[in-house]
Structure formats: C-alpha cells, structure tokens
Amino acid sequence: TLSSPVAGLTYADMLAPLWTQGADGSNHEDGDANIWTWPLNASDNTGNWVPLANMDDVIPAGSGFLMSVFDQDDFDDPNSDGWPKTITIPAGPQNASVLSGSMMNENPGGWTLAGNPLQSNVDVTQLTTTGLTDAYYVYDRNLSGETDGNPGGWRSTADGYGDIVDNAIAVGQGFFVQNTSAGSPQPSIIFGSNARTSAGEFYGKEREERKDFVR
C-alpha cells in the first residue's frame, strides 16, 4: 500500500523504475492490472478494488493505492530481477496536510484507503481526526499466512496498541481507516506538525530477514 509525499506527482512519475501493467501508459497496457485504487463510495471492506486507468493521473494528496510489485523490472530482460526495489521520488512541494470531504468515504462504517501525505513518518496517535474509529491498518506481505489468497496480512493499531511498529505510518505508505457507524460528523484527518516522527518502518515486499515474535 503506497502513497505520494509530493504534490502533483503522477503514478508514472512515482512508479517509473517498476514494471507496471493494465493501465494506459503502463509498460504493458493489455496485461492484468497490478495497480489498484479504492473507491470512495465503498460500503464494505471487500471486493471493491478498482484497477488504475491511466498512469498519467495525479496521485490524490493523502490517498493510498495498492500495487503488486513484480520481481522483474522489465519482462523483456530476465536479468532485471532482484530485491530490494528502489523508488526515487522527485523533489517537490509537500501535499496538503488535511484529508476530508470529497477525498474520503462518507458512508457510515465506510472505509478509506488514505496515505501519508507528508515527507516524514507520522505517529497516528498524534493525528487529529473526526468521524473515524481510532484504528489504522497497513498491509504487510512479510506476515506469515494468507489473506484472501494473498501472502501476508494486515497490521493494525488502535488507541496506541497494536503491531504497527511505534504506531507510525512511514513516508509513502498507504493505510486504511474506517468511519464510525453513525455517519457523522464528516470524516477528516489532520496531519499536524506534531505528528511527525523518526520512528516506525515501511511495510512492503518480503525481506530476507528473520524476526521472532508472538503475534
């Protein structure tokens, strides 16, 4: 789950080093999509993923998206595989620090795939929110087991407790939030300066390391 820390950045700009497919302007437009967005009118948390239509679309500030990253960076070159993958973000202005209104799902109990809009990690316990449950979810493919047939699972934190390290959302990380069941007040998130932190880690593709813990 990814997001853009730079205002005006397109999917093509951010994902240039990676193999993309299924969208206009991607490396293989006729392939099955490997970049997905989450609709803001979704009323539940399953079966709503929408494939990205155009790589030249600007990544909305504070929004997240899902990408399945292939081992090979170029399918025509078998030597282009290997990990880790590196994305170099062009320098540019930071996104707006408020996510609200038409940028969020407004259905009672609805889900929004948000994203860290800042150019630093953020401590979710320091975010100012309205109309949301106090829980945050990040997908981690490194977790053992499967979720809906995909490797990995969801990390979460609520009220400062959970298995998202340091309650922090990393730069460039997308995450889910859920509206309260009442549907009011209008959901919003303010990413204030006090939420910036150097703690936390980015959750992405599998890494060759071992961490022993009870979950």
Side-chain angles (χ1 to χ4, degrees), residues 16-206:
L18 305 176
W19 179 270
T20 57
Q21 60 184 48
D24 290 347
S26 62
N27 297 113
H28 182 38
E29 295 182 354
D30 295 328
D32 292 336
N34 69 328
I35 305 169
W36 301 79
T37 60
W38 184 262
L40 295 181
N41 60 353
S43 58
D44 55 37
N45 63 349
T46 59
N48 290 291
W49 295 103
V50 176
L52 180 68
N54 196 312
M55 295 294 297
D56 290 329
D57 288 347
V58 172
I59 303 171
S63 72
F65 62 95
L66 177 73
M67 182 177 185
S68 184
V69 181
F70 290 102
D71 186 35
Q72 288 181 225
D73 300 321
D74 184 345
F75 276 13
D76 297 324
D77 180 5
N79 297 316
S80 67
D81 59 355
W83 301 95
K85 305 296 183 184
T86 300
I87 296 176
T88 301
I89 304 296
Q94 187 169 267
N95 289 302
S97 59
V98 178
L99 187 65
S100 65
S102 61
M103 302 171 67
M104 298 193 71
N105 189 332
E106 297 188 58
N107 290 321
W111 295 81
T112 298
L113 180 56
N116 180 0
L118 305 185
Q119 296 176 6
S120 62
N121 293 2
V122 294
D123 180 346
V124 296
T125 65
Q126 299 301 311
L127 298 179
T128 301
T129 66
T130 58
L132 299 177
T133 66
D134 188 34
Y136 301 82
Y137 305 84
V138 173
Y139 199 77
D140 184 4
R141 294 191 63 142
N142 303 316
L143 290 178
S144 61
E146 292 187 350
T147 301
D148 296 328
N150 299 296
W154 292 97
R155 290 183 178 271
S156 62
T157 186
D159 296 317
Y161 299 95
D163 56 3
I164 293 179
V165 172
D166 300 316
N167 302 306
I169 303 293
V171 176
Q173 186 87 75
F175 61 96
F176 267 109
V177 292
Q178 186 182 21
N179 297 345
T180 60
S181 58
S184 62
Q186 186 182 68
S188 68
I189 307 175
I190 299 176
F191 298 84
S193 295
N194 63 315
R196 296 176 184 273
T197 179
S198 59
E201 63 179 81
F202 181 86
Y203 297 109
K205 200 80 167 182
E206 182 177 358

